[in-house]
Amino acid sequence: RQPLLEQYRRPAPGLGEHDPAVIAREWNSTERPVVPAGRPLSGLKVVSFGAVIAGAVCATMLSELGADVIKIESPVMPDSVRRIRMGDPVVHEPSGAPVSAMFASYNRSVRSLALDMKQPSSVDLVLRLAAVADVVLENLSSDVLERWGLGYEKIAAVNPQIVMLSQTGFGHNGPRSHYLAYASTVFSFTGLTQIWGQSHPTAHDYPSAAHGLFAILAALAARERTGRGTHIDQAQIEVAGAIMGPMLLDVTVNGHEPGEDPPPGLVVRGLGDDGWLAVEPESLADWERLAALVGAADPADHAGVAAALESWAAALTPQQATRLAQRAGLAAGA
């Protein structure tokens, strides 16, 4: 195989190589590096069972980086996002399947193939595609591909160099691997429903798509060194945990339980077109500093302090107000 990522490799920087002065010289130089023809992943072949958001968006990102992506859907139960219209009129593509603006956005740049995976001929066709592909990705329930006869072992048997990404809520081998999961399930399981005070139906889909893309690129780089493919078992609960570091540190270092007395996040208008100031008092001391800054009488009267802040900020540009609030020891920004 042609090393797809080799054109972007460079040695690790030496000491001082990435100093600001060196970087400035590179930016100001009139000489530009030779850019390879095509997009970064041109030549990469992907078979996608990516559906709804996480899997579909991951496949679309690969496609827009240059990969040739074939999205496989059931003609009986196509991607459910096709039916989410957000008030748009009912539209059908030439095949007769419904389509929506959301579906078109999440699946742009990919090719489409309808296969009834209950048919042995469809399984055979997917294996033929996988035999010449670089990547297979899916975000179905953990047992679906196995039931179809398309588990990782079957695909790796026809293509040992395949990189396969499986995106599920709870992974494939843990005690909850058999649980059905959606983004709102993951949201609640990881504690964010309590912290935010509400659930969210799609919050973890997008970071899962991005983490999946990074994992695929890392696996392709490893394949160039070893000649072997791999199965990436991505659990959305682990993606959620990976991006919750600040909240976990707040518990372990500061002893502050997320969800207890969350910062109110005051946002008020300042001078200028679309000019706003954000201030986040997190403690009694912060409220006292803020009350003193804006001339409020009672720091415990949060509504009164917020009203005084609104009047105070209205006479200043957000940048002026930011400097004054930060000098007072507050977390603030324009």
Side-chain angles (χ1 to χ4, degrees):
R1 292 178 186 269
Q2 178 71 23
L4 294 169
L5 308 182
E6 188 64 37
Q7 56 193 343
Y8 299 98
R9 298 198 192 287
R10 57 181 292 177
L15 288 175
E17 186 176 348
H18 283 174
D19 286 350
V22 175
I23 295 173
R25 284 199 299 272
E26 290 181 358
W27 274 89
N28 293 326
S29 172
T30 57
E31 296 183 7
R32 291 290 180 262
V34 178
V35 178
R39 290 175 290 174
L41 299 185
S42 295
L44 193 78
K45 297 177 181 178
V46 180
V47 177
S48 171
F49 288 98
V52 193
I53 299 178
V57 171
C58 184
T60 291
M61 289 191 291
L62 286 167
S63 179
E64 297 199 330
L65 286 168
D68 185 357
V69 180
I70 299 175
K71 176 185 175 78
I72 297 176
E73 291 180 81
S74 165
V76 180
M77 295 182 62
D79 194 325
S80 61
V81 175
R82 287 178 174 273
R83 301 191 299 273
I84 301 178
R85 289 187 289 274
M86 299 296 190
D88 297 327
V90 178
V91 178
H92 292 82
E93 61 184 37
S95 69
V99 69
S100 66
M102 184 180 292
F103 176 85
S105 174
Y106 290 156
N107 296 278
R108 62 190 182 274
S109 307
V110 308
R111 298 202 276 173
S112 179
L113 176 62
L115 290 177
D116 181 356
M117 297 310 303
K118 294 180 180 178
Q119 303 300 320
S121 58
S122 296
V123 176
D124 291 342
L125 178 55
V126 171
L127 288 174
R128 286 165 53 200
L129 289 170
V132 295
D134 299 281
V135 176
V136 172
L137 69 88
E138 55 97 6
N139 64 325
L140 306 171
S141 296
S142 58
D143 63 338
V144 171
L145 287 190
E146 289 288 350
R147 286 193 281 108
W148 288 346
L150 287 171
Y152 172 69
E153 289 75 15
K154 288 287 185 67
I155 293 176
V158 300
N159 184 353
Q161 293 188 317
I162 200 73
V163 170
M164 183 168 175
L165 170 69
S166 295
Q167 299 172 304
T168 58
F170 297 93
H172 277 77
N173 300 309
R176 299 179 180 87
S177 60
H178 61 289
Y179 285 13
L180 293 177
Y182 301 93
S184 55
T185 315
V186 176
F187 202 81
S188 295
F189 182 85
T190 55
L192 284 176
T193 301
Q194 177 186 351
I195 294 167
W196 283 25
Q198 64 182 27
S199 186
H200 197 285
T202 63
H204 289 309
D205 283 290
Y206 302 99
S208 293
H211 280 228
L213 173 66
F214 301 150
I216 287 171
L217 295 177
L220 290 171
R223 186 183 73 178
E224 289 179 7
R225 295 192 301 271
T226 67
R228 297 191 301 271
T230 190
H231 184 200
I232 304 161
D233 184 7
Q234 181 195 66
Q236 283 201 20
I237 58 169
E238 294 180 348
V239 172
I243 60 178
M244 289 173 66
M247 282 180 281
L248 296 173
L249 286 171
D250 204 18
V251 174
T252 57
V253 177
N254 302 324
H256 178 251
E257 187 72 27
E260 292 180 352
D261 302 318
L266 302 172
V267 179
V268 295
R269 183 182 288 278
L271 288 177
D273 182 34
D274 199 25
W276 299 86
L277 170 73
V279 183
E280 291 202 5
E282 292 190 343
S283 64
L284 176 59
D286 282 346
W287 283 102
E288 291 173 347
R289 294 185 189 100
L290 181 58
L293 177 67
V294 301
D298 183 5
D301 177 11
H302 293 182
V305 176
L309 172 67
E310 191 170 355
S311 299
W312 176 81
L316 301 166
T317 68
Q319 289 75 21
Q320 291 170 331
T322 294
R323 285 195 292 271
L324 292 171
Q326 289 181 353
R327 286 174 188 166
L330 294 162

